[in-house]
Amino acid sequence: MAVQQREYGRRRLLNQIRRSGQIPRIELADLTGISRATVTTITAELLDHGLIEEVARGEGLPDARRGRPRVDLKIRGAAHLVAGIKVSDRRLSLVLLDFEGKQRAELETEMTRSKNSPEGLADELCAALARLAESAGRDISDISGVGVGIAGIVSAEQGVVYWSPALSQRNVTFTRVLSEKLNRPTFVDNDANLVAVAEKNFGLGQAHSDFIVVTIEAGVGMGLIINGNLYRGTRGCGAEFGHTKVHLDGALCRCGQRGCLEAYVADYALLREARTLSDLDPAVNDVAQIENLLNAARVEDGPERRIVERAGRIFALGLANLVNIFDPELIIMAGERMQFDHLYAENVLREMRKSIVQVDKTPPEVVIHKWGNLMWARGAAAYALDNISELALEGLGENAA
């Protein structure tokens, strides 16, 4: 078997075993189109290296042809541990998965500040990872790889964070910084991308090949799945919905540019505008101030309502543009701020539908998925799991027959 064919076969079979959960060899051959002889050769190699294991099927009924119990193949959970981390404004959310994808531990912890140096953030992550591993009765050295989801503009392939509100510096190869502290492979991506990965793997996107996830937190993010695959763009910074431009020379965005959608609809944008109209109590934290602003917008026809309504109109325009460009099957709206409905209220979605291309078909479905940060962390862990699987297969070398 040629090297390329062998590598393709390994990857295809391991992925199929993972998707199936538990499967006999003969079905592997049928589902993948790989010959039974090759399936036998490759699965023997995967067994030898501890990536998969044999388990009895049912009650282990005898196989009349061979006179031995029937067995299935499954991923060997003990082969590797991976961690996923979601970096929020001042909070870290972590999960620990085994190689089978089963969750072994979870942790949420506060950070000392919302913006850190690269080394400072890496230190925070390492400390949290040590606590996560300890909660599962393991050591941080037992973790094979770590996935990190962070807000901002990220090149996942290069491990570079071009800009993030969580970092005090730009153009940081954060995977190198964190890997050097952990002595383990690390993988970083935009957090909204990893929400899309989570939705595809175990969320509302499982039955869809084309969908968009729009995340609403302190800022606005987007993950895009096309033909079942995450789309990142040629520079790794595609699908930056929050930084599409809605106003020429408009309001200053925290990314440093002007006129971004986020600069009109994000929490900090609403508070900035509210502060120009009234004196907000500096002793009240931003989350409480946002809640007060939205409550005031609901009960009285004042400046607060005009601020919120304007944000809704701009957000509806942005959503309509997404539909007109991509025409997805589904739009999933998710995020930390989903308890506030001002950006997905029915009047906002109605405005969106007015601005999309009108054809004699139902517009894309828009659904709300109010899941917490730990599910975002699961997306980061799933990303790490994919990468560690690839590294494990590369480590098998070219010794298979």
Side-chain angles (χ1 to χ4, degrees), residues 222-398:
M222 173 177 148
L224 176 61
I225 300 291
I226 300 177
N227 291 329
N229 298 309
L230 181 66
Y231 179 78
R232 291 189 175 94
T234 57
R235 297 181 300 153
C237 52
E240 284 294 339
F241 177 49
H243 301 287
T244 56
K245 303 301 180 280
V246 296
H247 195 296
L248 187 64
D249 298 326
L252 181 65
C253 179
R254 59 182 180 171
C255 76
Q257 295 192 345
R258 290 187 174 274
C260 297
L261 178 139
E262 185 178 291
Y264 292 89
V265 305
D267 287 1
Y268 70 86
L270 300 184
L271 290 178
R272 179 173 58 194
E273 192 162 351
R275 286 168 182 145
T276 66
L277 300 175
S278 61
D279 294 328
L280 299 182
D281 186 352
V284 178
N285 65 44
D286 286 356
V287 174
Q289 288 185 354
I290 280 289
E291 198 165 351
N292 293 338
L293 172 66
L294 296 176
N295 287 335
R298 291 187 187 98
V299 300
E300 57 184 86
D301 186 14
E304 293 87 358
R305 180 173 295 178
R306 288 190 289 275
I307 291 170
V308 172
E309 287 180 346
R310 183 188 185 210
R313 288 195 302 271
I314 291 175
F315 193 67
L317 179 63
L319 289 177
N321 286 337
L322 291 183
V323 175
N324 290 337
I325 293 170
F326 297 107
D327 194 25
E329 298 171 348
L330 174 71
I331 295 176
I332 302 170
M333 299 178 68
E336 189 179 34
R337 299 291 193 267
M338 297 308 290
Q339 69 268 32
F340 304 141
D341 66 357
H342 62 293
L343 293 182
Y344 61 88
E346 181 52 40
N347 63 306
V348 174
L349 300 183
R350 188 166 52 246
E351 285 296 316
M352 176 205 76
R353 296 186 190 104
K354 288 180 183 177
S355 299
I356 65 176
V357 173
Q358 301 297 314
V359 295
D360 191 20
K361 284 190 175 181
T362 305
E365 183 183 9
V366 179
V367 297
I368 312 304
H369 196 178
K370 299 181 181 181
W371 57 351
N373 282 339
L374 286 170
M375 289 300 290
W376 293 55
R378 284 194 71 187
Y383 177 47
L385 191 59
D386 287 344
N387 281 280
I388 290 300
S389 296
E390 286 294 315
L391 291 175
L393 291 176
E394 290 173 11
L396 299 186
E398 302 176 6

Side-chain angles (χ1 to χ4, degrees), residues 1 43 171 212 229 239 250 292 370:
M1 185 168 49
T43 55
N171 304 318
I212 292 172
N229 298 309
N292 293 338
K370 299 181 181 181

Side-chain angles (χ1 to χ4, degrees), residues 6-294:
R6 182 162 62 246
E7 290 176 351
Y8 169 80
R10 290 168 179 161
R11 184 176 297 107
R12 185 88 183 268
L13 290 172
L14 190 68
N15 288 341
Q16 186 61 59
I17 294 168
R18 189 180 296 284
R19 282 194 297 270
S20 300
Q22 188 171 318
I23 186 171
R25 288 173 176 83
I26 190 170
E27 287 186 26
L28 271 177
D30 293 341
L31 288 172
T32 62
I34 298 173
S35 72
R36 293 183 185 180
T38 301
V39 166
T40 299
T41 299
I42 292 178
T43 55
E45 180 188 20
L46 298 176
L47 283 164
D48 287 343
H49 286 81
L51 299 180
I52 63 174
E53 61 186 346
E54 290 183 329
V55 291
R57 193 186 334 162
E59 297 298 321
L61 296 175
D63 187 325
R65 294 171 299 169
R66 302 195 178 193
R68 61 185 182 186
R70 297 177 181 179
V71 296
D72 287 346
L73 299 173
K74 66 183 287 291
I75 298 294
R76 181 171 168 264
H80 291 282
L81 282 176
V82 298
I85 306 175
K86 152 72 169 166
V87 181
S88 301
D89 185 32
R90 287 200 177 202
R91 193 168 184 82
L92 297 177
S93 304
L94 302 88
V95 297
L96 189 68
L97 305 184
D98 66 17
F99 197 53
E100 199 175 354
K102 292 182 178 178
Q103 186 167 313
R104 297 305 179 189
E106 63 183 49
L107 173 71
E108 292 200 85
T109 184
E110 298 295 324
M111 290 193 293
T112 54
R113 57 182 63 86
S114 59
K115 181 172 286 192
N116 289 273
S117 68
E119 293 74 17
L121 180 58
D123 286 338
E124 293 265 15
L125 300 189
C126 289
L129 283 165
R131 289 175 55 196
L132 177 72
E134 184 181 8
S135 71
R138 306 297 291 269
D139 187 79
I140 194 170
S141 62
D142 296 327
I143 298 174
S144 298
V146 178
V148 180
I150 191 169
I153 300 173
V154 181
S155 170
E157 184 177 350
Q158 297 177 345
V160 174
V161 180
Y162 294 117
W163 167 80
S164 171
L167 290 173
S168 59
Q169 298 175 28
R170 290 176 176 256
N171 304 318
V172 177
T173 308
F174 190 66
T175 53
R176 185 178 64 222
V177 176
L178 184 56
S179 293
E180 287 176 353
K181 287 186 180 290
L182 284 174
N183 195 29
R184 290 289 181 276
T186 62
F187 315 94
V188 65
D189 202 349
N190 173 273
D191 55 357
N193 282 344
L194 298 183
V195 174
V197 169
E199 290 285 8
K200 181 63 182 172
N201 285 343
F202 22 72
L204 300 179
Q206 291 179 79
H208 298 271
S209 61
D210 298 270
F211 65 89
I212 292 172
V213 175
V214 174
T215 60
I216 302 170
E217 291 199 297
V220 178
M222 173 177 148
L224 176 61
I225 300 291
I226 300 177
N227 291 329
N229 298 309
L230 181 66
Y231 179 78
R232 291 189 175 94
T234 57
R235 297 181 300 153
C237 52
E240 284 294 339
F241 177 49
H243 301 287
T244 56
K245 303 301 180 280
V246 296
H247 195 296
L248 187 64
D249 298 326
L252 181 65
C253 179
R254 59 182 180 171
C255 76
Q257 295 192 345
R258 290 187 174 274
C260 297
L261 178 139
E262 185 178 291
Y264 292 89
V265 305
D267 287 1
Y268 70 86
L270 300 184
L271 290 178
R272 179 173 58 194
E273 192 162 351
R275 286 168 182 145
T276 66
L277 300 175
S278 61
D279 294 328
L280 299 182
D281 186 352
V284 178
N285 65 44
D286 286 356
V287 174
Q289 288 185 354
I290 280 289
E291 198 165 351
N292 293 338
L293 172 66
L294 296 176

